[in-house]
Amino acid sequence: MQTQVNIGTLISSSPEIHGGCPIITGTGVTVRRIAADYKMGLSAEEIVKEIPHLTLAQVYAALAYYHANQVEIDSDLAFQQAEAERLEAEYKAF
């Protein structure tokens, strides 16, 4: 008999891990990472192939979290992108 999983337990956050960003429980993989891959056009199945220690259920839970909190996560992704571009420009200045 298969054990039922409470999907609410698949995503968690802790101030000690990635500054409190939501992660897939028991991993260091952030929902932000899954959302970024998804926004680049990868399917859930392709994300599992890219990060093979994740299950399809974990990826779908992260995608559900992303869609439920899309404005917040998209804002975080935009901030991360802007910060990366700023650092790249600063590095090129040297």
Side-chain angles (χ1 to χ4, degrees), residues 18 21-22 29-37 73 76-77 80:
H18 293 291
C21 290
V29 180
T30 63
V31 170
R32 179 178 58 220
R33 161 101 189 263
I34 300 301
D37 286 349
I73 294 174
D76 189 32
L77 286 169
Q80 294 290 325

Side-chain angles (χ1 to χ4, degrees), residues 17-85:
I17 303 171
H18 293 291
C21 290
I23 62 165
I24 297 173
T25 302
T27 76
V29 180
T30 63
V31 170
R32 179 178 58 220
R33 161 101 189 263
I34 300 301
D37 286 349
Y38 174 75
K39 289 178 65 130
M40 287 191 308
L42 283 112
S43 68
E45 291 79 8
E46 291 169 324
I47 294 170
V48 169
K49 286 180 184 175
E50 182 180 300
I51 313 170
H53 67 277
L54 298 181
T55 66
L56 195 54
Q58 289 172 313
V59 172
Y60 275 115
L63 290 172
Y65 186 95
Y66 165 66
H67 286 291
N69 300 280
Q70 191 167 358
V71 171
E72 173 189 345
I73 294 174
D74 282 346
S75 175
D76 189 32
L77 286 169
F79 173 79
Q80 294 290 325
Q81 180 64 37
E83 184 66 8
E85 290 170 4

